[in-house]
C-alpha cells in the first residue's frame, strides 16, 4: 500500500487528501492531516470521490451516436479515438467552410477551471480550431465580479478578499460557506475561520433571503433581504457612510479617482429610499454602515446569491467602494489581495472603456472571451451566421444554463455536438460524439486556480502526481482537444514529441523561485507561500496605468438607468410576488455527483420546491402537494416542502437536476428531478449587459397545486 498526497478539485478550497493505493487500485481517500494549510480538513464530497472515480457508469471509450436512432432517443456505439478525431475534424471543417467563422461554438464548464492543463491550454486550442463563439460557466457564476473589477481596478482577475484571519467584522452577502465552502476566497475550513472571528470577539452578519446553515450561535445572524435587491442594500449602506457618517476624503483620493462621480451616483440611494425594496429596515441599513465603519478592521464579501441577480456588477462596485471609503481596502483584517505565486491580475488588463460591438442581438461585449450564455439559443436559431457546431468541455449546459427546453430545442438544430466529459450526461445524450476524459485522480496537477487567481487566504502551491493511470481509454481534456485540432491540420502542442501541458505553469512558478521538481521534494508536495501582504493590493494589484482605484468606472455607467428602472419595477411589485432563489446542498455539485448513490439519502432523492409555511397557507397549499412552479419562461412540477428558514415571499429550488433523459447515469436518472433553469430567462434582455451574467436568482414565479386525478 502506498500513500499519495493529493488534493480535491471539486470546489475552491482544494482540500488536501491522502490516497491509499495498492495494486488493485485506490482503496481510500482521507483528509491529509500533515498538510500545512488544510491540517486534515476535507468534506464528505471530496472524501467520497472514489464513488465517482470507480462509478460503473463512467465513460471509458469514445462514443458516436448510433445511426437510425429510434424514438427512445439517441443511443451510442463505441468507436476508436482515431475514428472519432477524423470524423469530428472533418465535420468541423465542413461546417466552417459552409457557414463561415461563427459556425463553431464552445462551452466550457466549471471543472475545466480546476485542471491546470485544461485551464491553461483549452481556450487557445479551441481558438486554433477557428472557434470564436465562446461560452462558459463563468456567465452563470461570477462574470458580474469580472466586469466590475475590470472597471474599478483595471483587471477582471483582481478580487480583494475578506481577510477572515484578522478581521473584526465580516459582512457576508449571498453566500452559504457551510455548504459551498465559499467562492472567490479560497479558504480551508471556512466555518472554523468564521467561528474564530466570533471567538476573537468579532461580529459576522450574513445577508440572505434564508436563515442559512452557516448562521449559528457561533457565527452570526442573517439580515433577511428580499432577493435580487442587494445592489440597493449596498448602495444604501454606502450612502450612509458617504453622507452621514463621513469619510476621510483625502485618504481616499490618495488611492483613487472619480470620487465625485461615486458621490453623485450614490446620492440617489439613501437608506430610506432603498429600505422598502430590500425588505431591510432603514435603521438596520444605517446600523450596518455604522458597525462596519466603527469596527477596527472590517471585511466584506459577496457571492453567487448576488452575482446571479440582475445587478451583480453594480453590487460588486458598491461592495468595493464600501471597503475603500472605510479605509479597509488593502488593510490587514479588511479586504486584501493575495497574488499567490503569480499575480494573474497583471496579465489580464482592461483593454478599452468601450468593449461593446454590434450583433444581431443588439450591442454585446465579451467578458474575458465569453459571450452571454443566455444568447446561445438565439445564436443557434438565427438566420445570419448561425452556430452550427458546439464543443462542450467539462460542462452540462442543458441543465446548468438558463433556458431548459428552449436551449435543448435550439441545440437539436445543430449539425454537430461534441461533448468531452467523464459521464454520459443530459448534454451528452444530445451529442453526436461523447469523448471520455480523465478525472482528477488520473492526471498530475498544481492547485493553480487557488494559487493564481488572487483569492487564497493562506497561499500555498501543491503538486500532485496522477494517483492512478487512466482507466479504459480515458484521456486528458487538453490532449483530446489538441488531437481534434491536429486532425484539422492546425499546429498544436502535439507537434512537440514530448509535450508538457504544465509548461506555462512551470514558467510562472519560476517567477516565484519555485519549480515542479522542487515541489515534488517537499512534504505533501506543498510550498507554503508568504502570508498575504496587505500593501500588495495597492502596490502590485491595481492595473490601471495610474495605479489608482476608479471610483466611478465609465464601463459601468450603462447600468445606471437600469438601476433606476429596476428600482421602479421592484417598488411596484405586489407584496405577494413570490421570488425563486438558488439553493446548493451538501449532496450536489452543480449537475454532477447526482450518480453517487450515497448522496441520495432520504431528503436528497428529489429537488423539491421549498416554501415558507405561511406563504403556503396563503396559497392554500400543503406540505407534500405536487405543485406547478411557473413564470413567463416556463413551468416545472415539484413536490412542496415546508421550510421556515425562508424569508416570507421567497421560495427556493436547487439547480443541476433534470436527469430524466440521462440514460447513461442510472442513479441520477432514477432520482431525476426537474431542471429549475426552465424558469430562467434567455434571449436579448435576459442578462446583465454590464457583465453577461445570467439572471438565476430572485426570479418571479407563481405556484399552484396540480390536481392529482384520482
Ligand atoms: N439555477 C441555477 N443554475 C446554476 C447555478 C445556480 O446556482 N442556480 N450555478 C451555476 C454555477 S455557479 C456554475 S459554476 C454552473 C456550472 O455549469 P457547468 O459547469 O456547465 O455544470 P456542471 O454541472 O458543473 O458540469 C460539469 C460537467 O463536467 C464533468 N466533469 C467533471 N470533471 C471533469 C473533467 O475533469 N473533465 C471533463 N471533461 N469533464 C468533467 C461533469 O461530469 C459534468 O457533466 O452552473 C450554474 N447554474
Ligand atoms: N455543496 C456544494 N458546494 C459547492 C457547489 C455545489 O453545487 N454544491 N458549487 C460550487 C460552485 S460552482 C460555486 S460558484 C460556489 C458558490 O458558492 P456560494 O456563492 O457561496 O454559493 P451558495 O453557498 O449557494 O450561496 C449562495 C447563497 O445566496 C443566497 N441567495 C440567493 N438569492 C439571493 C439574493 O438575491 N440575495 C442574497 N443576498 N442572497 C441570495 C442563497 O440563499 C444561498 O445561501 O459553490 C461551490 N461549492
Ligand atoms: S470542501 Fe470542496 S475541495 Fe474540500 S473536500 Fe469538499 S468538495 Fe473537495
Ligand atoms: Mo460556480
Amino acid at each position: 500500500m502506498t500513500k499519495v498526497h493529493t488534493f480535491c478539485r471539486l470546489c475552491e478550497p482544494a482540500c488536501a487528501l491522502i490516497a491509499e493505493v495498492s495494486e488493485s487500485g485506490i482503496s481510500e481517500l482521507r483528509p491529509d492531516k500533515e498538510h500545512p494549510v488544510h491540517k486534515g480538513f476535507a468534506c464528505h464530497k471530496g472524501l467520497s470521490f472514489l464513488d465517482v472515480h470507480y462509478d460503473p457508469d463512467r465513460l471509458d471509450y469514445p462514443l458516436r451516436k448510433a445511426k437510425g436512432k429510434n424514438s427512445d432517443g439517441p443511443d451510442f456505439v463505441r468507436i476508436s479515438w482515431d475514428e472519432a478525431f477524423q470524423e469530428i475534424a472533418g465535420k468541423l471543417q465542413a461546417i466552417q467552410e459552409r457557414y463561415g467563422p461563427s459556425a463553431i461554438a464552445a462551452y466550457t464548464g466549471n471543472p475545466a477551471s480546476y485542471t491546470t492543463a485544461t485551464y491553461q491550454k483549452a481556450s487557445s486550442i479551441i481558438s486554433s480550431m477557428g472557434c470564436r463563439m465562446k461560452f462558459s460557466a463563468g456567465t452563470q457564476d461570477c462574470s458580474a465580479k469580472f466586469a466590475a473589477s475590470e472597471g474599478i481596478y483595471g483587471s477582471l482577475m483582481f478580487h480583494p478578499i475578506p481577510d477572515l484571519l484578522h478581521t473584526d467584522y465580516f459582512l457576508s452577502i449571498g453566500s452559504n460557506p457551510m455548504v459551498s465552502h465559499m467562492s472567490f476566497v479560497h479558504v480551508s475550513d471556512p466555518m472554523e475561520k468564521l467561528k474564530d472571528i466570533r471567538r476573537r470577539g468579532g461580529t459576522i452578519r450574513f445577508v440572505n433571503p434564508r436563515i442559512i446553515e452557516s448562521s449559528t450561535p457561533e457565527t452570526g445572524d442573517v439580515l433577511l433581504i428580499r432577493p435580487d435587491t442587494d445592489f440597493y442594500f449596498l448602495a444604501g449602506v454606502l450612502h450612509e457612510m458617504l453622507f452621514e457618517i463621513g469619510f476621510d476624503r483625502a485618504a481616499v483620493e490618495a488611492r483613487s479617482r472619480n470620487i465625485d462621480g461615486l458621490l453623485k451616483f450614490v446620492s440617489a440611494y439613501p437608506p430610506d429610499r432603498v429600505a422598502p425594496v430590500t425588505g431591510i429596515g432603514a435603521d438596520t441599513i444605517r446600523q450596518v454602515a455604522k458597525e462596519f465603519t466603527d469596527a477596527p478592521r472590517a471585511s466584506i464579501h459577496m457571492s453567487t446569491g448576488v452575482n446571479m441577480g440582475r445587478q451583480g456588477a453594480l453590487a460588486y462596485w458598491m461592495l468595493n467602494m464600501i471597503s475603500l471609503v472605510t479605509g479597509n481596502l488593502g488593510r490587514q483584517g479588511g479586504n486584501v489581495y493575495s497574488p499567490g505565486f503569480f499575480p494573474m491580475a497583471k496579465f489580464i488588463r482592461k483593454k478599452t472603456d468601450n468593449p461593446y460591438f454590434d450583433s444581431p442581438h443588439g450591442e454585446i461585449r465579451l467578458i474575458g472571451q465569453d459571450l452571454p450564455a443566455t444568447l446561445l439559443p438565439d445564436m443557434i436559431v438565427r438566420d445570419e451566421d448561425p452556430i452550427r457546431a458546439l464543443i462542450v468541455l467539462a460542462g452540462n449546459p442543458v441543465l446548468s444554463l438558463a433556458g431548459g427546453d428552449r436551449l435543448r430545442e435550439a441545440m437539436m438544430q445543430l449539425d454537430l455536438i461534441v461533448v468531452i466529459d467523464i459521464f454520459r450526461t443530459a448534454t451528452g445524450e444530445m451529442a453526436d460524439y461523447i469523448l471520455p476524459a480523465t478525472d482528477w485522480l488520473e492526471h498530475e496537477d498544481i492547485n493553480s486556480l487557488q494559487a493564481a487567481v488572487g483569492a487564497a487566504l493562506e497561499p500555498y502551491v501543491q503538486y500532485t502526481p496522477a494517483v492512478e493511470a487512466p482507466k479504459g481509454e480515458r484521456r486528458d481534456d487538453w490532449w483530446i482537444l489538441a488531437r481534434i485540432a491536429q486532425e484539422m491540420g492546425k499546429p498544436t502542442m502535439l507537434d512537440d514529441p514530448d509535450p508538457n501541458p504544465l509548461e506555462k505553469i512551470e514558467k510562472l512558478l519560476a517567477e516565484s523561485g519555485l519549480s515542479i521538481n522542487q515541489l515534488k521534494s517537499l512534504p505533501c508536495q506543498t510550498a507554503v507561500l508568504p502570508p498575504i501582504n496587505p500593501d500588495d493590493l495597492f502596490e502590485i494589484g491595481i492595473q490601471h496605468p495610474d495605479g489608482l482605484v476608479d471610483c466611478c468606472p465609465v464601463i459601468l455607467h450603462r447600468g445606471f438607468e437600469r438601476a433606476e428602472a429596476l428600482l421602479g419595477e421592484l417598488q411596484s411589485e405586489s407584496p405577494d410576488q413570490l421570488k425563486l432563489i438558488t439553493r446548493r446542498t451538501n449532496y450536489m455539485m452543480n449537475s454532477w455527483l447526482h450518480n453517487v448513490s450515497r448522496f441520495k439519502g432520504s431528503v436528497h432523492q428529489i429537488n423539491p420546491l421549498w416554501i415558507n409555511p405561511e406563504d403556503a397557507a396563503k396559497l392554500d397549499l400543503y406540505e407534500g402537494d405536487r405543485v406547478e412552479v411557473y413564470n413567463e419562461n416556463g413551468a416545472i412540477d415539484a413536490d412542496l416542502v415546508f421550510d421556515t428558514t425562508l424569508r416570507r415571499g421567497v421560495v427556493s429550488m436547487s439547480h443541476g437536476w433534470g436527469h430524466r433523459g440521462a440514460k447513461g447515469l442510472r442513479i441520477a436518472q432514477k432520482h431525476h428531478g426537474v431542471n429549475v433553469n426552465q424558469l430562467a430567462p434567455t434571449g436579448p434582455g435576459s442578462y446583465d449587459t454590464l457583465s453577461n451574467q445570467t439572471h438565476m436568482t430572485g426570479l418571479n414565479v407563481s405556484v399552484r397545486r396540480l390536481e392529482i386525478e384520482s
Side-chain angles (χ1 to χ4, degrees):
M1 195 75 91
T2 49
K3 195 173 94 170
V4 181
H5 294 273
T6 187
F7 57 91
C8 177
R9 272 145 279 172
L10 283 172
C11 76
E12 296 184 35
C15 299
L17 302 173
I18 288 179
E20 293 285 358
V21 190
S22 68
E23 270 176 19
S24 57
I26 310 170
S27 60
E28 189 191 7
L29 293 175
R30 56 187 160 81
D32 189 347
K33 294 191 178 136
E34 295 162 44
H35 193 274
V37 171
H38 290 284
K39 301 184 177 114
F41 175 78
C43 87
H44 64 286
K45 295 189 300 305
L47 298 174
S48 306
F49 194 74
L50 291 182
D51 289 14
V52 172
H53 183 64
Y54 290 126
D55 188 330
D57 287 350
R58 279 284 299 271
L59 291 169
D60 286 331
Y61 309 101
L63 299 175
R64 178 179 59 210
K65 187 193 278 179
K67 291 196 178 76
K69 55 179 177 161
N70 60 32
S71 58
D72 290 338
D75 213 347
F76 294 88
V77 291
R78 178 177 169 181
I79 54 170
S80 72
W81 274 113
D82 282 345
E83 278 175 285
F85 292 135
Q86 281 158 17
E87 291 178 18
I88 293 167
K91 287 182 184 184
L92 285 172
Q93 277 166 322
I95 287 170
Q96 216 158 36
E97 275 162 30
R98 176 153 179 215
Y99 295 101
S102 301
I104 302 180
Y107 172 80
T108 306
N110 178 259
S113 310
Y114 291 88
T115 297
T116 300
T118 314
Y119 189 60
Q120 297 277 338
K121 296 287 175 196
S123 186
S124 59
I125 305 174
I126 289 170
S127 296
S128 80
M129 296 175 194
C131 165
R132 61 177 199 189
M133 307 296 281
K134 291 188 183 168
F135 303 85
S136 89
T139 54
Q140 285 70 255
D141 175 337
C142 52
S143 58
K145 289 188 168 182
F146 289 149
S149 275
E150 190 182 59
I152 304 164
Y153 301 113
S155 170
L156 55 81
M157 225 21 140
F158 180 83
H159 300 280
I161 59 170
D163 182 0
L164 302 177
L165 301 179
H166 304 99
T167 199
D168 304 297
Y169 187 90
F170 179 43
L171 189 58
S172 169
I173 312 168
S175 173
N176 190 4
M178 190 188 274
V179 170
S180 65
H181 299 98
M182 303 192 80
S183 184
F184 276 53
V185 43
H186 305 139
V187 45
S188 182
D189 199 354
M191 285 304 287
E192 270 313 298
K193 304 287 185 300
L194 298 189
K195 288 176 194 166
D196 280 346
I197 296 174
R198 280 299 287 273
R199 289 185 201 116
R200 293 197 299 271
T203 302
I204 299 172
R205 297 236 182 272
F206 297 101
V207 180
N208 204 298
R210 236 193 103 217
I211 300 169
I212 43 175
E213 293 80 354
S214 309
S215 167
T216 73
E218 293 168 282
T219 56
D221 292 337
V222 183
L223 302 176
L224 281 171
I225 194 166
R226 194 161 162 237
D228 196 22
T229 65
D230 301 87
F231 156 67
Y232 302 104
F233 167 76
L234 288 163
V237 170
L238 188 57
H239 187 283
E240 184 70 10
M241 290 166 166
L242 293 174
F243 298 108
E244 298 300 329
I245 298 171
F247 68 104
D248 183 343
R249 183 166 176 136
V252 170
E253 286 197 309
R255 297 295 197 192
S256 69
R257 59 186 143 84
N258 287 337
I259 184 73
D260 286 329
L262 178 70
L263 287 162
K264 182 160 179 265
F265 176 77
V266 176
S267 66
Y269 299 102
D272 288 317
R273 182 167 186 233
V274 297
V277 292
T278 64
I280 297 178
D283 285 346
T284 308
I285 294 176
R286 289 190 194 102
Q287 187 196 335
V288 169
K290 183 157 170 32
E291 286 173 356
F292 200 98
T293 313
D294 288 351
R297 297 171 299 184
S299 58
I300 184 165
H301 179 68
M302 69 176 228
S303 202
T304 57
V306 186
N307 300 347
M308 292 178 191
R310 283 175 292 181
Q311 299 180 89
L314 290 187
Y316 198 48
W317 171 37
M318 295 292 100
L319 176 146
N320 279 283
M321 293 303 106
I322 286 172
S323 185
L324 174 73
V325 303
T326 55
N328 282 295
L329 193 66
R331 173 204 274 181
Q332 191 180 57
N335 279 56
V336 289
Y337 175 53
S338 172
F341 66 86
F342 174 72
M344 194 67 95
K346 276 191 184 179
F347 290 80
I348 310 184
R349 290 202 177 117
K350 182 183 83 168
K351 295 193 184 76
T352 163
D353 268 339
N354 184 13
Y356 290 85
F357 56 89
D358 285 329
S359 86
H361 319 282
E363 271 197 329
I364 52 175
R365 65 162 299 185
L366 304 178
I367 297 289
Q369 302 183 10
D370 291 339
L371 290 159
T374 59
L375 291 184
L376 177 57
D378 299 71
M379 290 179 172
I380 296 172
V381 300
R382 70 189 183 191
D383 295 332
E384 193 188 319
D385 286 342
I387 291 171
R388 301 305 308 165
L390 179 66
I391 300 168
V392 177
L393 174 67
N396 198 357
V398 163
L399 300 186
S400 291
L401 263 59
D405 290 344
R406 177 156 193 257
L407 174 61
R408 205 187 278 264
E409 278 156 25
M411 284 173 66
M412 281 165 74
Q413 296 190 19
L414 291 167
D415 295 336
L416 178 69
I417 301 177
V418 178
V419 171
I420 304 171
D421 205 291
I422 62 172
F423 284 113
R424 184 176 142 189
T425 61
T427 304
E429 273 322 306
M430 299 195 66
D432 299 284
Y433 296 88
I434 313 180
L435 307 177
T438 51
D439 67 43
W440 48 261
L441 289 167
E442 295 170 318
H443 48 242
E444 62 171 354
D445 221 331
I446 293 278
N447 63 330
S448 60
L449 178 73
Q450 287 71 16
V453 301
L457 195 62
E458 297 169 286
Y460 68 92
V461 200
Q462 179 164 13
Y463 169 81
T464 177
V467 177
E468 197 174 51
K471 185 166 169 271
E473 293 185 8
R474 299 174 192 173
R475 294 286 183 272
D476 292 348
D477 290 320
W478 71 268
W479 184 88
I480 298 171
L481 290 169
R483 277 290 289 120
I484 298 173
Q486 189 179 47
E487 211 63 45
M488 290 174 82
K490 312 293 180 192
T492 77
M493 293 163 66
L494 299 174
D495 300 335
D496 182 335
D498 188 17
N500 175 11
L502 298 181
E503 188 190 8
K504 193 166 161 197
I505 236 34
E506 281 272 26
K507 284 194 187 131
L508 302 182
L509 282 170
E511 294 201 10
S512 294
L514 293 164
S515 70
I516 288 182
N517 270 339
Q518 190 189 350
L519 292 176
K520 284 180 185 170
S521 69
L522 295 171
C524 309
Q525 300 109 230
T526 297
V528 177
L529 298 167
I532 292 171
N533 174 0
D535 294 338
D536 280 350
L537 189 142
F538 290 109
E539 281 173 14
I540 60 171
I542 294 169
Q543 299 304 320
H544 290 306
D546 60 6
L548 297 175
V549 176
D550 190 341
C551 294
C552 193
V554 173
I555 216 162
L556 299 180
H557 290 194
R558 63 168 66 211
F560 291 4
E561 247 178 62
R562 187 161 174 260
E564 279 300 303
L566 290 179
L567 184 68
E569 190 184 308
L570 289 161
Q571 281 164 338
S572 60
E573 261 172 9
S574 151
D576 291 334
Q577 176 61 59
L578 288 177
K579 300 269 173 183
L580 176 71
I581 63 164
T582 56
R583 173 107 144 216
R584 286 184 159 71
T585 73
N586 269 326
Y587 299 93
M588 42 96 60
M589 180 56 68
N590 298 319
S591 76
W592 60 306
L593 305 190
H594 281 275
N595 214 47
V596 175
S597 61
R598 81 169 81 199
F599 292 169
K600 294 292 169 198
S602 56
V603 291
H604 298 285
Q605 302 203 356
I606 54 161
N607 62 330
L609 178 78
W610 282 285
I611 192 167
N612 186 303
E614 289 182 40
D615 289 321
K618 250 180 142 173
L619 295 165
D620 192 27
L621 295 171
Y622 297 88
E623 186 148 44
D625 275 352
R626 188 83 189 144
V627 294
E628 184 180 61
V629 194
Y630 60 99
N631 64 11
E632 64 205 27
N633 304 309
I636 49 178
D637 298 354
D639 292 323
L640 199 69
V641 171
F642 282 178
D643 180 0
T644 52
T645 68
L646 285 165
R647 184 191 148 83
R648 285 286 312 277
V650 178
V651 291
S652 79
M653 266 185 102
S654 293
H655 67 287
W657 293 77
H659 307 272
R660 188 191 294 271
K663 292 186 209 161
L665 295 167
R666 283 171 290 181
I667 293 162
Q669 196 185 25
K670 198 166 140 213
H671 306 283
H672 51 75
V674 284
N675 177 7
V676 70
N677 282 326
Q678 179 78 24
L679 303 173
T682 56
S686 64
Y687 61 97
D688 181 3
T689 53
L690 293 180
S691 66
N692 294 352
Q693 180 88 40
T694 308
H695 180 197
M696 289 179 145
T697 199
L699 296 169
N700 287 354
V701 293
S702 302
V703 180
R704 66 179 183 94
R705 181 184 303 109
L706 287 170
E707 300 303 335
I708 309 289
E709 284 168 33
S710 53

